[in-house]
Amino acid sequence: MSLPLRVCVVVFGSLVAVGPVDAGPVIGKLDLPKEVPMREASATKGFLDRVENPLAPPRPVAVTPYLVVVLEQAEGAQKGTAPGQVVWELVGESFARPVVIAPIGAEVLIKNVSKTARTLVALEDAGLVPSGPINPTGPKSFRIAEAKVYTIADKDAAHLRGTIVGVTSPYVATVDETGKFEIADVPEGNYKLRIFYKTDWLEGTTDVAVSGKGKTEVAPKVPALNAPKKK
Amino acid sequence: MFFSKIWFFLIALAATVALTIALVMPRPAERAHVENEKQRLVVACSVIDILLGDDARNRVELASAFASKVEIVSALEAASGVASIDEARMKSVRAVGESVMEEMKGKRKPDFAVLIDKRGRVVARVALDQNDFGDVAAGRPLVDDALAGYLRDDLWSHNGTLYLVTAAPVVKRETAAYAGAIILGHQVTNALAQRLVKSLDVDVGFYLGKDEVAGSKTLAVEASPLVDAVKGIAGADLSQDCLANKPIPITAGKDSYTALVARLPGEVSARQAYYTVFIKRPAALGFAGTLKVVNQSDLAPGSFPWILVGGAFLVMLAIGIALMMMESDRPLRRLTAEAVRLAKGETERLSEDAHPGKFGSIARSVNIHIDKLGREAKSAKKDMDQLLGPSPEGSLGTIDLLATALPAVRPGGSGPVSSPPPSEFKFTTAATQPGVTPAAPPARPTGRPGTPPPTTPAARAPTPPPIRVGTPTPPAMPVTPAYIPVAPSGPVTAPAPMPPPPALSLDDDILGAAPEATPAPGEQGAGTDYFEQVFDQFVTMKKSCNEPTTGLTLAKFSEKLVKNREDLMSKTGCKDVKFTVYVKDGKAALKATPVKED
């Protein structure tokens, strides 16, 4: 092969390997409300009501584990590909994250890293999670079929609950302790960012315009979290 | 008897009322007993709830003390800083926990402890699953609350065992920073159950579904009714279970209990955890049950109105006896006395008006029967007179014959009911001895049944004592012969049992022919001596009456007697006939009397 031909092949190959050039990450940090929500009453109660310890004030409620975001494609935007897999760890008496988000068609892989076998079921769709226990260190996977909220629970442990938010968009992300999130490979286009907290979507959306070149940063404001309203 | 009947009715009514009261009275008591039982269960259940709350408070204080130990704080603070917990760290922290638990001797030592770092990871377990570590305990409400800074209690179940658990946050005092949390667990045991009901006189059992976890008494209780009762409890406020629930009957073996269930709070509530307060059901009350439980003190004079009951009994008894005497005994005695007088002949009829009620009816009935017998006797006499001819005036004649069929009560007559005393027999015997003529015929010469009613004067005439054929004792001439009985046989048996049959008057036949009263020799056959005696008496009687005896011969006389005897025997069926010589209308007469007996 002649040199010019070799150069052409390399250039073409490079272009093919790089892929679309109009996609980029969306990086954001949620503007969390200063007022943290009140700690809810415990799901269970003994003979006595709980009392605060005399040495230190109670720790504030951690809200970020319960927050997930999604970029929903506006009209004319390009479609992306679905994320292949969402890994959700069962760490003992709880999931590593109480709320996860997954596009329709994504595989949810539950990994039991605890020492206790669990039998999980989706309360909204009994057939979503394959039947049978998830043994310690054993996985169990399933695919999200609908854009809806699924509550995964263990009937033998009322406190063990997790939420999977099924969405149509493949551009989803969880939020870290500080409220930051990152959605990779978002194609160029206009999007609306929505925030899910605990059990429902928060009111309002944030418009996000992805240029396709470089990263897109957003700072959506999170409304008060005490009383989330249904969409 | 009217008042006696009324009294009997009143007594029966009172007895019925008393029985009704006796049967009904235990029911209100039983209801009250059930209500008291329920109240007792409710109180006991509430007290146990309170005691469990107090116990939880003590355990929370214990957990707080445990969590405040410096070595615990340091161990958990150090563990919270590492990315992963290794076995060496676990063992060091567990040793710390064990040493702290050892310090709790004398207090209520927990059965297990769990030490958790501030990330929610289990750093170490003491006394229970103590080789397990590193798993995340966060997520359980108790742990979450403790990690958030709260003290609280809960109830967990683990491997079929019920634990009272408490949690406390571990806080570093200097910085007021959270280092983790500790969990203490106390197993629900039989000892705990016994301690809870020590002063309540009830029993308690703790259950997980149908499984009994612990109890103050070892009982094989049928748990299905308890589970059903738990399922039937409405309302989320568990503290109201003791007040809102109703006691239910349960069985344990052959024993019956009344139980009250109350849900246990905490995580175990999702597993149908509850406790049951129960007491043994007393034997069924009711009348029999009440009687069974009556003891001696209930019947003591101080607690039972013996005087009132005894007095009432005596009053009722006295009234009853008085009414019986007044309405029954005395009238009966009067009737009896009058009946005796009637039997003795002191009276001819019973006094109907002197006897009240039924006794008067008896008297009337007797009188009616007396009258009936009198009429029948009179009629019978007529018939016999038609058959045999009129009986002699003043003699019993045919009446004596009829008397054999008459009842003991002499109808209308004055004869005695009972047999005459021996003296009368003697008299009768004497009077009937041949040759002895009684001055007057005795009123009741034979002691046989009486004569017909008083309406028949002739019937009241005494019957001459008979002379039996076969003792042909020649009769002596009577001094004042009213009549001379001639017996066909020997010694007179005084109270001669019923010489029965009607008399046959042969006066006309015998006198009509009036042959010379000379017996023809050789004409005497069988009984010729007797006929001769009768003939002699008859001739003597005729002479004494200044009657002619011309043409009266023994042969003719005997022939007549034989003929008449045969006629009479054929008509009456008697075995023999006796002939009696007597005076009729100033003339000698002869009466034939059938003899039925030997």
Side-chain angles (χ1 to χ4, degrees):
Chain A
M1 185 181 292
S2 62
L3 182 61
L5 181 59
R6 288 181 182 175
V7 170
C8 288
V9 169
V10 169
V11 170
F12 181 77
S14 300
L15 290 173
V16 171
V18 168
V21 295
D22 54 351
V26 175
I27 300 173
K29 185 176 188 302
L30 297 178
D31 183 9
L32 296 171
K34 293 181 180 177
E35 186 180 349
V36 294
M38 296 285 291
R39 183 174 292 276
E40 294 178 358
S42 183
T44 63
K45 171 182 164 303
F47 293 104
L48 305 175
D49 291 325
R50 66 187 180 190
V51 293
E52 294 181 8
N53 79 88
L55 301 176
R59 295 166 73 178
V61 175
V63 296
T64 53
Y66 299 95
L67 289 168
V68 291
V69 295
V70 60
L71 279 177
E72 292 184 337
Q73 295 169 319
E75 190 176 352
Q78 296 180 12
K79 293 184 177 178
T81 56
Q85 192 179 61
V86 175
V87 177
W88 199 14
E89 286 189 337
L90 178 58
V91 293
E93 301 297 336
S94 61
F95 290 97
R97 290 191 61 87
V99 178
V100 293
I101 188 167
I104 291 175
E107 180 189 24
V108 177
L109 178 65
I110 298 177
K111 294 177 69 177
N112 186 0
V113 298
S114 72
K115 297 175 180 175
T116 306
R118 301 289 184 182
T119 302
L120 301 176
V121 64
L123 301 183
E124 294 79 8
D125 183 359
L128 182 67
V129 181
S131 60
I134 305 177
N135 294 319
T137 70
K140 182 145 292 196
S141 64
F142 54 91
R143 291 190 180 276
I144 298 299
E146 291 182 65
K148 62 187 292 187
V149 176
Y150 296 97
T151 304
I152 307 300
D154 181 359
K155 289 184 176 177
D156 296 327
H159 58 272
L160 180 57
R161 298 239 167 166
T163 301
I164 301 176
V165 183
V167 292
T168 55
S169 172
Y171 310 116
V172 296
T174 57
V175 180
D176 70 6
E177 294 176 356
T178 62
K180 290 182 180 176
F181 63 90
E182 179 177 350
I183 305 172
D185 297 330
V186 178
E188 182 180 3
N190 294 321
Y191 295 87
K192 290 182 180 299
L193 187 142
R194 296 176 64 201
I195 305 170
F196 185 91
Y197 174 67
K198 269 194 172 178
T199 58
D200 228 324
W201 296 99
L202 298 179
E203 277 189 341
T205 58
T206 302
D207 293 331
V208 178
V210 177
S211 64
K213 292 181 180 177
K215 59 184 178 184
T216 303
E217 293 188 356
V218 293
K221 186 176 179 60
V222 178
L225 297 174
N226 281 336
K229 292 181 180 178
K230 289 188 176 180
K231 190 177 179 180
Chain B
M1 296 293 283
F2 176 76
F3 290 107
S4 295
K5 289 177 181 174
I6 292 293
W7 182 247
F8 177 76
F9 171 76
L10 291 176
I11 292 293
L13 185 64
T16 304
V17 170
L19 183 62
T20 303
I21 291 173
L23 292 175
V24 169
M25 194 66 84
R27 295 189 178 182
E30 191 165 0
R31 282 197 297 273
H33 185 75
V34 169
E35 190 60 32
N36 290 339
E37 196 176 62
K38 178 187 175 184
Q39 195 60 33
R40 189 171 145 212
L41 280 175
V42 169
V43 169
C45 181
S46 301
V47 169
I48 288 172
D49 191 50
I50 292 170
L51 291 175
L52 288 172
D54 288 343
D55 181 67
R57 196 165 291 108
N58 293 333
R59 287 185 285 107
V60 166
E61 289 179 2
L62 187 68
S64 179
F66 192 103
S68 64
K69 295 290 182 182
V70 176
E71 51 268 43
I72 296 288
V73 176
S74 300
L76 291 181
E77 185 183 24
S80 298
V82 298
S84 64
I85 299 168
D86 55 21
E87 188 170 354
R89 182 173 296 277
M90 179 273 288
K91 287 183 177 176
S92 67
V93 175
R94 188 175 69 190
V96 172
E98 287 172 344
S99 66
V100 174
M101 282 183 68
E102 280 298 311
E103 292 176 15
M104 292 183 170
K105 280 186 176 176
K107 299 180 181 178
R108 193 174 170 202
K109 184 181 176 182
D111 293 300
F112 73 84
V114 180
L115 290 82
I116 302 168
D117 70 1
K118 69 178 181 182
R119 299 184 185 184
R121 298 176 298 182
V122 174
V123 181
R125 288 182 168 93
V126 181
L128 181 69
D129 298 334
Q130 57 182 8
N131 292 324
D132 292 341
F133 66 97
D135 54 310
V136 175
R140 298 187 88 156
L142 178 79
V143 177
D144 287 348
D145 281 342
L147 292 173
Y150 293 95
L151 296 153
R152 57 163 288 189
D153 71 301
D154 204 341
L155 287 92
W156 289 357
S157 66
H158 181 75
N159 293 335
T161 304
L162 189 62
Y163 289 97
L164 303 168
V165 292
T166 46
V170 177
V171 181
K172 189 174 183 181
R173 289 175 180 267
E174 295 78 12
T175 58
Y178 286 96
I182 59 99
I183 297 170
L184 301 181
H186 293 81
Q187 184 179 351
V188 176
T189 61
N190 293 341
L192 171 67
Q194 289 163 4
R195 195 166 62 245
L196 288 171
V197 299
K198 187 170 62 177
S199 59
L200 295 177
D201 195 24
V202 298
D203 285 299
V204 65
F206 291 89
Y207 296 84
L208 279 171
K210 291 185 177 181
D211 300 325
E212 184 178 10
V213 175
S216 59
K217 182 186 283 186
T218 304
L219 289 175
V221 173
E222 175 60 43
S224 296
L226 301 176
V227 175
D228 293 340
V230 171
K231 288 178 181 175
I233 297 174
D237 190 358
L238 277 59
S239 64
Q240 297 299 311
D241 283 2
C242 289
L243 300 175
N245 292 342
K246 292 180 178 178
I248 57 171
I250 61 171
T251 57
K254 294 180 179 178
D255 296 328
S256 298
Y257 293 84
T258 302
L260 185 64
V261 297
R263 292 170 294 180
L264 285 170
E267 277 190 23
V268 291
S269 64
R271 304 189 63 178
Q272 280 190 335
Y274 57 92
Y275 66 92
T276 301
V277 184
F278 53 90
I279 54 178
K280 196 169 184 178
R281 203 180 316 157
L285 292 178
F287 184 65
T290 304
L291 283 182
K292 281 183 183 175
V293 297
V294 170
N295 55 33
Q296 200 168 359
S297 64
D298 295 329
L299 299 175
S303 57
F304 190 83
W306 282 112
I307 296 177
L308 182 64
V309 173
F313 171 74
L314 290 176
V315 167
M316 289 191 296
L317 186 65
I319 293 174
I321 290 175
L323 288 174
M324 283 178 61
M325 291 182 66
M326 191 170 67
E327 296 189 324
S328 177
D329 290 356
R330 287 172 58 189
L332 183 61
R333 211 176 300 140
R334 283 199 301 270
L335 181 62
T336 304
E338 191 169 4
V340 170
R341 287 199 300 275
L342 178 68
K344 289 180 178 176
E346 296 172 6
T347 181
E348 296 180 354
R349 294 167 61 83
L350 295 174
S351 176
E352 297 175 1
D353 297 335
H355 304 287
K358 297 292 182 186
F359 300 103
S361 298
I362 294 172
R364 277 189 292 278
S365 298
V366 171
N367 289 341
I368 289 169
H369 193 61
I370 288 171
D371 295 344
K372 183 182 176 186
L373 290 177
R375 287 193 297 273
E376 288 175 357
K378 187 177 179 181
S379 172
K381 179 179 178 298
K382 275 183 180 175
D383 294 342
M384 293 306 295
D385 285 348
Q386 287 173 358
L387 177 64
L388 302 175
S391 62
E393 190 66 33
S395 74
L396 294 175
T398 59
I399 301 305
D400 277 348
L401 176 64
L402 293 173
T404 55
L406 292 180
V409 177
R410 199 179 180 90
S414 57
V417 173
S418 58
S419 298
S423 59
E424 292 186 45
F425 285 103
K426 287 176 183 175
F427 168 77
T428 305
T429 303
T432 54
Q433 287 294 332
V436 177
T437 303
R444 293 174 295 283
T446 61
R448 274 188 261 125
T451 56
T455 53
T456 309
R460 287 195 216 146
T463 303
I467 299 173
R468 297 189 64 83
V469 179
T471 50
T473 305
M477 289 297 292
V479 179
T480 52
Y483 63 90
I484 301 172
V486 179
S489 64
V492 176
T493 53
M498 309 311 320
L504 178 62
S505 177
L506 304 175
D507 296 1
D508 296 336
D509 290 336
I510 295 172
L511 297 176
E516 194 65 34
T518 306
E523 289 181 355
Q524 298 174 2
T528 302
D529 293 342
Y530 175 67
F531 294 148
E532 191 173 344
Q533 289 175 20
V534 176
F535 176 77
D536 292 342
Q537 289 175 11
F538 189 70
V539 169
T540 304
M541 185 63 77
K542 283 184 83 72
K543 288 179 179 176
S544 65
C545 293
N546 299 317
E547 290 183 77
T549 58
T550 308
L552 185 63
T553 64
L554 176 60
K556 271 192 171 181
F557 186 81
S558 297
E559 184 182 351
K560 285 287 182 184
L561 290 187
V562 169
K563 185 181 179 185
N564 281 283
R565 184 177 66 175
E566 290 173 354
D567 289 345
L568 194 54
M569 288 174 67
S570 63
K571 288 177 180 176
T572 63
C574 60
K575 293 182 177 178
D576 202 350
V577 176
K578 69 171 184 176
F579 297 95
T580 307
V581 178
Y582 69 101
V583 178
K584 180 182 179 183
D585 298 333
K587 296 181 179 178
L590 191 62
K591 183 184 75 171
T593 304
V595 176
K596 286 189 172 181
E597 297 176 2
D598 293 332

